Amino acid sequence: MSGHPFYKRRGFINGLSRRSFLLKAGLVTTGILLNSCIRKVKPGSQYKNIKGSIKGPNAKAGHILRDKLPLPVPGSTRRVKTLIIGGGISGLSAARWLKKQGYTDFELLELEDHVGGNSHSRKNDISAYPLGAHYITIVNNEDKLITEFLQDCNVITGFENNLPVYNEYYLCFDPEERLLINGQWQEGIVPDFSLTPSDKAEVKKFFALIDAFKKAKGSDGKYGFDIPVDNSSADENFRVLDGITFKEYLQQQQFTSKYLLWYLNYCCKDDYGQKIDKVSAWAGIHYFASRRGKAANAESNAVLTWPEGNGWLTNRLSETVAGHIRKGSMCYNVSYDEQGRVVANIYNIANNTTSTIVADNVIMATPQFVNQRLFKETITRPIDYQALNYSSWFVANITVKRLPQTKGAGLCWDNVAFDTPSVGYVNAGQQAVSQSNEKKVLTWYLPLCDHEPRIARLAAYTRTYEQWMDIMMPELEYMHPRITDAIENVECWIWGHGMIYPAVNYIWGKNRKAAQQPVKNNVFFAHTDLSGISIFEEAFHQGVRAASQLLAIYDKQANT
Ligand SMILES: Cc1cc2nc3c(=O)[nH]c(=O)nc-3n(C[C@H](O)[C@H](O)[C@H](O)COP(=O)(O)OP(=O)(O)OC[C@H]3O[C@@H](n4cnc5c(N)ncnc54)[C@H](O)[C@@H]3O)c2cc1C
């Protein structure tokens, strides 16, 4: 192995000065968003027999919001008691919570023709597959709200000795994960094969440290690291870790093993889309120390997954509020009228028409960078929007006729190669009960973290299909020599603002707390960027928190 990440060898930015790149990107953002929805390959390309396209969240909508394109004048106005804007996990969770509390006078607007946001999925003839979020772990036993939801959708089927029994169909089937390292696939992702005793000792020391953090509680009696993050101890002994990067912390602890550091970079990329030098030490430790779930029939940290990834959870949540959802409805402006009611302007994407909704109150389940554009100067909040940082992701769903076999452990659900830019691929069909079909869909994840987020995002929007293949295929060929000939189709998906990442001082800083506060007691906020950690559990709790804030202010009896 060269030791150099593969895609540093090629790529769009190489050969372009930073200035000319930004100029080019500037031109592109006023023209198109993704380079896009079409498959561009040169006539003699080695990928010419591979079908596929580049897609992502609705490009037209992003274009309208960012570039302030002119829209038709609103043709109608209607009244709604409560409006939820955004149908990702947080918006759906807010809607479910309102309904569960007997509050039914609400409507949820989603700009896409599907709900789920980053937890959306698709399917082809071979399998369903995720486009973003693909798993959760068994939940912390104190987390009654998610436990109850998982019971409602039969993920938890009962209790034995006070421990939840998880549905065997949804616990990740064996074998779960493998790592290609020093020429061989080993079982598990923590590097082990051919490590020196001193590397192994460092790995052991790190996990001993994490065990201590898992048990540690602050002077307020709370765990130092918990899910949701807002349940974590505010003890300064833990909080201080938010003020330095994870990399600085690891240096202070004198961790130097390249294998351990690779693993920790991999974990941060996997959960935050960034490496150890970009996320806070508090967040880096939280990844490992916050999960303490115990089950009657599974190990701690066991994975729950579905062929469609968290798209399965999206479907269960949306079923609970089905009659309240309006898709293809993009909010493009939110302001107050003279009576202090909330006025939302809505663009119907399919009909190219606009309308106005006047609501008593609104839950914004949209990311803050979107809210900033929707509020313009009419709704002000004491937060610094620029201090919120989002990671971009490239996800490819690869349909293969067969998977060339290699030395060591066989195909697992999660398959990762040491010292490569991606975080590997998951086998979407792992949970299929019958494994008779040789054809598979592999979901390959690449966090775009080698450049500052804005540059990475603009580069992502301008790459062609062939350029993405040039980035991905060397790594896949390294994992599975001759795989190119076995590939039928590659569906590329770009998440420009895929997820918030917990930069230094974000989780415990003033900004995040301020962003959770309602405006004038009738505009509420729910999105994972208010947690700083983008996982299903946080989105779920952000939804419940915002809905509870609303219910605490408004008499829920008034509209039932
Ligand atoms: C590549 C990737 C992989 C991930 N993997 C995992 C994983 O394995 N497990 C996990 O737990 N989490 C994962 N996540 C994190 C995931 O983001 C969260 O779990 C969760 O789905 C976030 O939900 P949300 O509601 O906060 O945000 P979003 O998913 O961002 O939802 C916001 C919604 O608002 C809509 N919207 C935006 N603007 C408007 C507007 N103007 N009008 C109307 N609607 C609008 C959007 O279309 C979207 O549906 C992953 C994320 C990414 C990007």
Side-chain angles (χ1 to χ4, degrees), residues 459-477:
Y461 289 146
T462 53
R463 282 196 187 101
T464 64
Y465 186 86
E466 186 149 17
Q467 284 169 326
W468 283 117
M469 295 293 280
D470 277 346
I471 287 170
M472 181 177 75
M473 288 314 300
E475 188 180 316
L476 278 181
E477 274 289 332

Side-chain angles (χ1 to χ4, degrees), residues 102-280:
Y103 186 104
T104 53
D105 197 352
F106 66 88
E107 191 171 305
L108 183 152
L109 301 182
E110 165 55 49
L111 76 83
E112 303 284 353
D113 58 6
H114 54 260
V115 288
N118 299 336
S119 297
H120 175 46
S121 63
R122 290 205 164 163
K123 64 178 177 185
N124 64 14
D125 294 342
I126 313 304
S127 176
Y129 50 81
L131 292 167
H134 52 295
Y135 76 101
I136 57 172
T137 56
I138 63 167
V139 298
N140 287 345
N141 302 66
E142 305 80 23
D143 194 336
K144 301 296 175 216
L145 294 179
I146 297 198
T147 299
E148 187 190 47
F149 166 66
L150 295 180
Q151 277 179 274
D152 287 351
C153 52
N154 205 32
V155 173
I156 293 176
T157 55
F159 288 83
E160 274 174 27
N161 302 322
N162 276 334
L163 292 178
V165 178
Y166 282 87
N167 193 323
E168 297 285 349
Y169 285 100
Y170 308 143
L171 283 166
C172 183
F173 290 174
D174 279 338
E176 193 172 310
E177 47 183 39
R178 63 175 177 165
L179 174 68
L180 179 59
I181 179 167
N182 296 329
Q184 181 147 329
W185 287 99
Q186 62 149 69
E187 281 175 27
I189 291 180
V190 182
D192 185 46
F193 177 68
S194 73
L195 264 64
T196 64
S198 81
D199 285 315
K200 288 193 182 188
E202 274 204 28
V203 172
K204 215 169 148 190
K205 180 180 149 195
F206 176 77
F207 281 105
L209 193 68
I210 290 300
D211 273 348
F213 275 128
K214 259 192 184 185
K215 292 177 198 132
K217 289 190 173 176
S219 49
D220 49 10
K222 293 178 167 186
Y223 281 115
F225 302 89
D226 211 348
I227 300 173
V229 287
D230 287 328
N231 281 0
S232 304
S233 170
D235 193 318
E236 187 57 23
N237 286 328
F238 302 117
R239 286 173 58 151
V240 70
L241 293 166
D242 203 37
I244 54 169
T245 65
F246 195 27
K247 184 177 177 181
E248 285 165 337
Y249 173 78
L250 294 166
Q251 280 167 347
Q252 285 173 9
Q253 301 298 314
Q254 297 175 345
F255 287 113
T256 55
S257 161
K258 73 168 180 178
Y259 292 103
L260 176 68
L261 294 178
W262 169 81
Y263 174 67
L264 301 179
N265 266 314
Y266 157 81
C267 294
C268 288
K269 281 160 64 177
D270 196 43
D271 245 28
Y272 307 136
Q274 296 293 335
K275 297 184 200 160
I276 55 176
D277 61 335
K278 288 283 193 315
V279 305
S280 82

Side-chain angles (χ1 to χ4, degrees), residues 9 17 111 144 148 203 278 321 324 338 369 473 486 501:
R9 293 184 199 148
S17 75
L111 76 83
K144 301 296 175 216
E148 187 190 47
V203 172
K278 288 283 193 315
V321 289
H324 296 263
E338 283 169 0
F369 77 89
M473 288 314 300
Y501 71 82

